[in-house]
Amino acid sequence: MLMIDLGDLREGVLKEDALLVAEEILKLKGVRLRGVGTNLTCYGSVIPTPDILEELIEVKEAIEKKFGQKLDIVSGGNSSSLYLVQNGLIPRGINQLRIGEAIVLGRETAFGDRIPHTYDDVFTLEAQIVELKEKPSYPRGILGMDAFGEKQVYVDRGIMKRAILAIGRQDVNIGDLIPMDSCVELIGSSSDHLIVNVTNCDYPYKVGDVVKFKLRYGGILSCSTSEYVEKVIEEA
């Protein structure tokens, strides 16, 4: 697949260089040029539109015309292109999409809209409580940087029931965690610990209990690649 950069500025050759690159590919032994593709809404957050994808089709047709090489695949992007299919706007000639987030999180990624009849809890993260104590909400002493060189802002909310979970930034992007118990509040994290506020929870959490989270895309990514997170597959 020859990837064409149509504005998102991640992978791919520029449209004006596509014929030159295709010519070199066609000279390679043991390599078959099957088609062209593009990737959008990843780095540059560019939303795919019919006009942009028509450019991809034009590149495909130009290669076929110049080299007499039939291309089977025109891959028009990822989950951010799905809205074009749903609204009947996908250009004729686009015959493949590379769908990921729409399947595993149930949303298209151009505008973040939910997809009917899908689920957002296909992936969940479980972390055990290793400490549970009532502590002040404001640190005591002279404040400097945290372990990651960041200066934090704290609000004095009095004494709160704080649980420490055995998971941290080395395992998952904490900002991508969504507590399945809506009363659990994320407070902060270090490299291997996550601090949550359970003061207002109806469930009487205790040490050893497991707190469950849904995950955003970045959370799924980091958990999947962390060697410290055990992966368990449960069949429905």
Side-chain angles (χ1 to χ4, degrees):
M1 294 293 296
L2 175 58
M3 297 300 289
I4 312 297
D5 188 339
L6 295 179
D8 204 61
L9 302 180
R10 203 179 76 166
E11 80 275 14
V13 302
L14 297 177
K15 186 173 67 170
E16 53 266 31
D17 297 328
L19 289 178
L20 291 173
V21 176
E23 184 175 13
E24 294 303 312
I25 293 173
L26 293 171
K27 294 177 183 177
L28 297 174
K29 294 182 179 179
V31 175
R32 178 186 174 193
L33 180 60
R34 291 289 307 278
V36 294
T38 193
N39 194 61
L40 299 162
T41 333
C42 269
Y43 167 72
S45 64
V46 174
I47 294 175
T49 61
D51 288 346
I52 288 177
L53 295 186
E54 287 286 359
E55 293 182 30
L56 184 63
I57 297 171
E58 291 171 4
V59 171
K60 176 252 191 188
E61 292 175 344
I63 293 173
E64 289 183 330
K65 181 178 180 180
K66 181 170 182 177
F67 302 109
Q69 173 73 32
K70 178 67 175 176
L71 301 183
D72 303 324
I73 301 171
V74 184
S75 188
N78 51 45
S79 295
S80 64
S81 295
L82 193 57
Y83 86 98
L84 294 172
V85 177
Q86 294 171 315
N87 291 285
L89 299 173
I90 196 81
R92 293 182 65 86
I94 301 295
N95 58 16
Q96 183 193 82
L97 296 181
R98 307 179 306 280
I99 303 299
E101 187 166 346
I103 295 174
V104 300
L105 285 178
R107 69 168 190 162
E108 59 80 35
T109 57
F111 306 99
D113 292 334
R114 295 286 308 153
I115 300 173
H117 313 299
T118 61
Y119 299 87
D120 63 354
D121 60 353
V122 175
F123 289 85
T124 59
L125 174 67
E126 298 182 358
Q128 190 175 40
I129 297 176
V130 295
E131 179 184 293
L132 181 61
K133 295 182 182 296
E134 290 190 350
K135 292 185 179 182
S137 54
Y138 196 85
R140 182 167 62 90
I142 299 173
L143 303 183
M145 297 182 296
D146 65 13
F148 293 88
E150 301 169 351
K151 289 190 175 182
Q152 301 292 344
V153 176
Y154 306 95
V155 177
D156 190 349
R157 298 164 55 186
I159 300 296
M160 64 172 55
K161 195 174 183 180
R162 296 157 69 95
I164 297 180
L165 309 182
I167 196 164
R169 292 201 202 183
Q170 68 183 10
D171 310 301
V172 64
N173 182 354
I174 301 302
D176 288 321
L177 299 181
I178 305 170
M180 297 184 74
D181 181 344
S182 61
C183 295
V184 172
E185 177 189 5
L186 300 179
I187 297 296
S189 62
S190 62
S191 58
D192 55 354
H193 292 99
L194 171 64
I195 305 169
V196 299
N197 176 18
V198 296
T199 305
N200 299 315
C201 293
D202 295 328
Y203 181 80
Y205 287 104
K206 61 185 182 299
V207 171
D209 282 345
V210 168
V211 180
K212 297 182 179 182
F213 301 89
K214 292 192 292 186
L215 296 161
R216 298 184 179 90
Y217 180 81
I220 295 174
L221 172 63
S222 55
C223 282
S224 297
T225 57
S226 173
E227 61 181 295
Y228 305 109
V229 177
E230 181 184 4
K231 286 77 172 176
V232 179
I233 300 175
E234 296 181 355
E235 296 190 12

